[in-house]
Amino acid sequence: MIGGGQLARMTHQASIGLGLPLRIMVGSPTDSAALVSPHTHLGDPHTRADITGFAAGCEVVTVDHELVDLETLADLDRAGTAVRPSAAALTFATDKAHQRTELAAAGLPLPDHRITTERDATIAAADTLGWPVVVKTARGGYDGRGVWILDDRPALDAFLDDVGEPHPTLVVEELVPLECELAVLVARGPDGHQVTYPVVESVQVGGICRETIVPARVAPEVAAEATRVAAEVAAVVDAVGILAVELFWDGQRITVNEVATRPHNSGHWTIEGAVTSQFANHLRAVAGLPLGATDALAPAVVMANVLGHHDGRTPVDHLAGALSVPGASVHLYGKSPRPGRKLGHVTVLADSVDTARARARAAAAALGDPVPESP
């Protein structure tokens, strides 16, 4: 696995039970995965020599993030190393313009949008779509970065002045009036067989996921449509492993927001909350093994992210408070604390969403920044 963050750390934990030897390419000995795995290799995911040297000892190469030299991955695949997901699939996550173009061509539901490469076209797109408008850089950006909501023409002019020349490729979209955000994980094997996890509700604050609620608080027909759309997206992307499809529900229709071709924050609940965790199913998929069942293990499961507290507290020093919450399962990533940084997560299984949510919030607040109140 290329990438040494918390996703690699949790994939390593899943690999232990499966007995699959997992090597991890990390950028630093202090990376989250490097702190727990004995099989790490220092390297730069943008450097061809580092990637090829690492891959020389691997049967299958996968990733815990998309910011990898895709040309090198494609060359490895052509030379006989199984790269899963492929460079072509990873492009859907690294290039929002490509993602929008391909999903639109497949007839999938998307927010109304325009792809622009010069200033006048960007202004015209915003005027056509109506204010406020969402502007995204085609490449780069995550957890709210690379996304701007602009209220009017002066705000767009100021943004374009800051961007400067040459004008980057942008995706200009309508601002969808959200009732809620949803996410669906799909595990897909090399033979095209795929299984989907229950639809989750993703509670976002400032572009960062603070909670996931399982099952999503939407009507059964809405959940069924979200599952259908996610399955079609997975088939178009043709990724092997875990694919996360983030969706908007505006009360009338489902539209695709983003696609991630790797294990995803919206699936952390599956470690305790599903028959097979997303990390185990990712490994099973990329290794060509049978996929596991995805059913939830309780009527309600809630995951709350632990974000760094403004007082700079170290979460492990406050474990007692979190573990005193009934049913709270704590995962800390070994990362140095700073305000707003993802340092871990807490999962609670219960008989009702309200109970699970209250307990997950209490445990997360003991460790880090409290989750803001929301409906």
Side-chain angles (χ1 to χ4, degrees), residues 154-218:
L156 178 60
D157 284 337
F159 166 79
L160 292 172
D161 289 342
D162 287 340
V163 167
E165 296 293 341
H167 186 290
T169 300
L170 299 173
V171 179
V172 186
E173 294 190 347
E174 65 171 323
L175 180 64
V176 176
L178 289 180
E179 188 164 302
C180 66
E181 294 190 50
L182 307 173
V184 182
L185 291 178
V186 182
R188 194 165 192 273
D191 61 354
H193 174 64
Q194 58 190 46
V195 294
T196 58
Y197 284 85
V199 181
V200 308
E201 183 178 345
S202 177
V203 180
Q204 305 278 327
V205 179
I208 298 175
C209 176
R210 292 306 310 265
E211 300 172 280
T212 55
I213 299 170
V214 189
R217 296 171 297 176
V218 294

Side-chain angles (χ1 to χ4, degrees), residues 106-247:
L108 285 154
L110 302 169
D112 195 5
H113 66 279
R114 306 289 187 275
I115 296 168
T116 68
T117 57
E118 56 93 23
R119 185 183 185 107
D120 288 347
T122 299
I123 294 169
D127 286 337
T128 300
L129 293 168
W131 304 97
V133 70
V134 179
V135 178
K136 304 177 181 180
T137 52
R139 291 183 171 272
Y142 64 96
D143 281 351
R145 300 179 183 90
V147 179
W148 295 265
I149 298 175
L150 304 175
D151 291 328
D152 49 32
R153 173 68 183 274
L156 178 60
D157 284 337
F159 166 79
L160 292 172
D161 289 342
D162 287 340
V163 167
E165 296 293 341
H167 186 290
T169 300
L170 299 173
V171 179
V172 186
E173 294 190 347
E174 65 171 323
L175 180 64
V176 176
L178 289 180
E179 188 164 302
C180 66
E181 294 190 50
L182 307 173
V184 182
L185 291 178
V186 182
R188 194 165 192 273
D191 61 354
H193 174 64
Q194 58 190 46
V195 294
T196 58
Y197 284 85
V199 181
V200 308
E201 183 178 345
S202 177
V203 180
Q204 305 278 327
V205 179
I208 298 175
C209 176
R210 292 306 310 265
E211 300 172 280
T212 55
I213 299 170
V214 189
R217 296 171 297 176
V218 294
E221 58 270 22
V222 176
E225 174 67 1
T227 300
R228 182 194 69 78
V229 169
E232 288 192 13
V233 170
V236 172
V237 175
D238 195 24
V240 175
I242 288 286
L243 178 92
V245 184
E246 299 177 49
L247 304 159

